[in-house]
Amino acid sequence: MKRKILAGNWKMNLDHLSGAALAKEICAGVDAARSACEVVLIPPFTTLPAVAGAVRGSAVKTGAQDLYCEDEGAYTGEIAGGMLRALGCAYVLVGHSERRHTIGESNALVTRKLRAALRNGLIPILCVGELLAERESRKAVDIVASQVRESCEGLEGEEFSRVVVAYEPVWAIGTGRTATPEDASDMHGVIRIIAKELFGTAAAEHLPILYGGSAKPETAPALLAEPEIDGLLVGGASLKASSFLGMMPR
Ligand code: PEP
């Protein structure tokens, strides 16, 4: 049995004071529940040190929302993987759809960021997902397959064994419209087929694939009941301890 992952992407919400308070509340809930699930908090960069302090001594892990593809140098405004590791970060999102579509990150940049994460000992959560128009024109499978293929091309098997993928249909993110468990599960199956093609059966079976897109306490149990769904990446519903903890698999 793979360990399920529940990750909360706080996006550009919560400063270091409110973030630390929420992290403490979540840690208390996670530690009391003694769940086998891996819980990850992903605050904004400036909130990260306070959250790292708040989770110290608990089972809860931290992650960052992005990193730069180089390890140091003249890259004003960017944050390197090593800086995140120094803060105790375990995870980092790579290629979140808000970065791909709002900020304009290309697949090529996402690939370089994925490598930077691995090089710096971070677990990358590689986000992939189709736009509504792509789903409606039946291109979703091709889009997601090519995002996975392009991002992971050339990785060694050992590197791929440290990757987590999050399937996040863009039309479901922040819209209140959750994918059905069947639709999410079908796409997770596609991602696993690509992983098998690139890295073999064992690697594909080992790969954790999270679902993200308006997941809430009401929709989480049915999503998590799908054998193909290894956990959830949660945005809006991760900003309150009660709703986030309400999605934790028991
Ligand atoms: C996300 O930002 O990764 C996400 C899934 O957001 P939401 O849950 O708000 O759709």
Side-chain angles (χ1 to χ4, degrees):
M1 272 287 275
K2 257 183 278 176
R3 195 174 183 205
K4 300 256 187 213
I5 300 173
L6 177 65
N9 173 16
W10 293 359
K11 311 195 190 202
M12 200 173 71
N13 295 294
L14 305 176
D15 63 18
H16 66 291
L17 299 174
S18 49
L22 177 60
K24 280 191 189 139
E25 227 186 307
I26 289 173
C27 285
V30 169
D31 292 344
R34 296 176 187 276
S35 162
C37 139
E38 170 102 322
V39 176
V40 188
L41 303 182
I42 310 181
F45 287 133
T46 53
T47 302
L48 205 37
V51 170
V55 305
R56 200 162 293 132
S58 93
V60 175
K61 301 279 191 339
T62 56
Q65 296 176 14
D66 188 31
L67 82 171
Y68 195 53
C69 53
E70 299 291 344
D71 292 340
E72 64 181 350
Y75 304 104
T76 302
E78 297 294 350
I79 301 288
M83 297 171 180
L84 301 173
R85 278 298 289 165
L87 277 178
C89 257
Y91 290 82
V92 62
L93 299 182
V94 174
H96 189 279
S97 72
E98 284 150 16
R99 298 205 60 86
R100 290 179 188 266
H101 299 294
T102 311
I103 295 167
E105 272 187 19
S106 64
N107 258 341
L109 182 58
V110 170
T111 306
R112 294 180 65 202
K113 289 185 171 190
L114 185 74
R115 286 166 192 278
L118 291 167
R119 192 167 65 235
N120 284 287
L122 295 158
I123 300 169
I125 303 180
L126 170 67
C127 303
V128 296
E130 80 285 358
L131 297 164
L132 182 59
E134 291 164 343
R135 174 154 285 258
E136 286 174 345
S137 57
R138 299 184 179 276
K139 292 197 187 114
V141 167
D142 289 347
I143 294 290
V144 171
S146 70
Q147 285 172 338
V148 175
R149 254 194 214 104
E150 283 182 39
S151 306
C152 297
E153 207 197 303
L155 288 188
E156 298 293 329
E158 183 283 320
E159 291 173 312
F160 184 72
S161 72
R162 290 184 276 136
V163 172
V164 173
V165 171
Y167 168 56
E168 299 206 297
V170 181
W171 47 267
I173 297 184
T175 59
R177 187 178 160 195
T178 318
T180 64
E182 296 72 28
D183 283 347
S185 180
D186 286 352
M187 193 61 90
H188 285 214
V190 169
I191 294 168
R192 227 175 275 290
I193 288 169
I194 307 298
K196 181 175 169 186
E197 197 183 291
L198 295 173
F199 299 101
T201 308
E205 281 170 6
H206 164 90
L207 174 70
I209 309 178
L210 316 184
Y211 166 78
S214 295
K216 315 179 240 323
E218 307 81 65
T219 52
L223 288 162
L224 290 168
E226 292 289 334
E228 278 291 354
I229 300 182
D230 301 310
L232 300 172
L233 177 54
V234 183
S238 71
L239 295 173
K240 283 216 164 75
S242 55
S243 54
F244 188 59
L245 292 169
M247 305 174 80
M248 194 168 50
R250 302 283 149 187

